Structure formats: structure tokens, C-alpha cells
Amino acid sequence: MIKDPILNVIAFLMVPLIVLFGLYIQFHGDYTPGGGFQAGIIIASGIILYSMLFGVHTTLKAIPYSIIKFFNVLGILTYGGTGILTILLGKNFLSYNVLSTDSVAGQKLGIFLVELGVAFTVCSSMLMIYMSFVYEKK
């Protein structure tokens, strides 16, 4: 934990902006460069910055490790579930156009769900890797 008050205030103000930028990248990933992987890394880096300045225990109070593991599983199930759903609807794995009566809307929905699953998985995986390096078990 770093005791520099100026650095703590700057980081405390920057972390929400970093997470907001990650969400922007996530939700505009089908229109602009970016998507789930980039968004997951950006959001995880904001949380890791918070953890480096305010301590792992403070971070784990805000986001318990069980929630991080839950989002990891949720991301994998979202990605895989979207593909399995397209198979159950009679098309190939990740054939998004079957997800809606309008094929363009189905494509957009499918891409959004897959990118959301990727973002959840990447963000939570990065946090789990970081926590495994820095968390002191007592």
C-alpha cells in the first residue's frame, strides 16, 4: 500500500475513468476497434491499479474473490452458451443470424454476447492471476 496522498487521490479519481473507458471499448467494439478482450484488460488494469495503491485486502472487500471467480465462469458460459444455443436452433456453432428473426439483429446480438463473455473472462482471469501473485495467505 502506497502512502503518498497525491498519488492516492489521482488514482482514486482515475480508476472510475479507466473502468468507464473499458466499458466504452466494450459497448463500441462492433463499431470501432476494440471489444471484449481489450475491455477486459482495461477494466482489470483499473482494478489492479486500485489494488496496488490501496492494498489487496481493501480491493477484496470491494470485490470479493468469489465474485471474481463467478464472473470468470459466467464469461465462459456466456461465450459457450451462445454457441450452444445456435446449435440447438439448428445452425452451426456461433452462427449468430439464427438468434433473431432479423439476421442483422441476430448478428449484433450474437457478437455482443460473445464479446461480453470474453470481457468477463479476460477481466476476471487477469484479476485472478494478479491476486495469486500478491495475496498473502495467512
Side-chain angles (χ1 to χ4, degrees), residues 23 27-28 31-33 40 42-43 46 54 57 59-60 72-74 95 99-100 104 106 117 121 129:
L23 292 173
F27 290 113
H28 285 83
Y31 301 114
T32 60
I42 292 168
I43 292 169
F54 300 107
H57 295 291
T59 305
L60 289 175
N72 193 269
V73 172
L74 181 65
S95 295
L99 294 176
S100 178
V104 173
T121 303
I129 291 168

Side-chain angles (χ1 to χ4, degrees), residues 113-132:
L113 290 174
V114 165
E115 292 295 330
L116 188 65
V118 169
F120 284 162
T121 303
V122 168
C123 180
S124 58
S125 295
M126 293 306 297
L127 291 174
M128 290 168 67
I129 291 168
Y130 173 75
M131 295 296 175
S132 70

Side-chain angles (χ1 to χ4, degrees), residues 13-24:
L13 295 173
M14 288 298 297
V15 168
L17 295 175
I18 292 170
V19 172
L20 185 64
F21 180 65
L23 292 173
Y24 171 79

